[in-house]
Amino acid sequence: MVVLLSRLPVTECLKLCHRVVDGLCGREPPCRADYNTTWSLEEWLQLLNSLSAFFCLAVGNNSSDEEVVAGLSDVGRSHAETLLSVLRAREEEIQRTLLHRTNSISSATLQDFDWQLKLALSSDKISSLHTPLLSLSLDLRENGAVRPVAVEMNREELNTLITSLEAANKVMLQLK
């Protein structure tokens, strides 16, 4: 829906894009009243969401100029260059905002860990079990205090954890 930008002159597009980034970064976003003759309410909301997603994805994926321009093929060249110029001018600020949002999910950080592999031979319900179990001990630092967390997982749970951690690592590498 970024194609809606072509209704604005390039100078107005530049101002709007900077205001969208302001809103994305926690400052005052663009005002609908300034653009109510250009777009309907539905178009306005779609445009704001599209521009915000564009800036977040371009920064999050560390997209090259060529990738950005190729992704904006439905917008005129001058508008695409305007979007690219705003993106490059505000890239570090957007990245800081994205990292802050990610970090605000949890303030806990991993301080230390230890693991043990055990073989459960039986349980109170099954006389012969022979199930490998992983005991994972984590020391998490949160607000200056270290909090121990102990987790015991079977093979399937461990595979799920490993897959999740690999996906998180991939995202972190893309943000660098």
Side-chain angles (χ1 to χ4, degrees), residues 108-169:
T109 56
L110 181 63
Q111 185 71 30
D112 195 14
F113 71 96
D114 191 20
W115 62 274
Q116 293 179 353
L117 185 60
K118 301 176 183 179
L119 183 62
L121 298 175
S122 65
S123 72
D124 60 346
K125 296 180 182 168
I126 301 173
S127 62
S128 180
L129 194 60
H130 298 293
T131 302
L133 296 172
L134 176 79
S135 291
L136 183 61
S137 299
L138 306 173
D139 289 334
L140 301 178
R141 180 173 299 280
E142 192 168 20
N143 300 327
V146 176
R147 177 174 53 102
V149 175
V151 181
E152 192 168 87
M153 296 175 270
N154 62 27
R155 184 181 306 234
E156 294 79 25
E157 292 168 331
L158 177 60
N159 285 336
T160 302
L161 175 66
I162 290 171
T163 302
S164 298
L165 291 174
E166 286 173 343
N169 186 47

Side-chain angles (χ1 to χ4, degrees), residues 53-79:
F54 163 76
F55 288 121
C56 289
L57 287 172
V59 171
N61 293 333
N62 199 20
S63 300
S64 68
D65 291 356
E66 294 79 23
E67 291 171 327
V68 170
V69 171
L72 296 170
S73 59
D74 56 343
V75 178
R77 179 130 181 98
S78 58
H79 285 79

Side-chain angles (χ1 to χ4, degrees), residues 11 16 23 32 36 40 44 53 56 61 64 70 79 84 86-87 95 99 105-106 113 146-147 151 156 158-159 162:
T11 55
L16 174 63
R32 159 96 172 103
N36 62 3
S40 68
W44 173 251
C56 289
N61 293 333
S64 68
H79 285 79
L84 181 62
V86 172
L87 175 69
Q95 189 171 35
L99 287 172
I105 293 171
S106 174
F113 71 96
V146 176
R147 177 174 53 102
V151 181
E156 294 79 25
L158 177 60
N159 285 336
I162 290 171

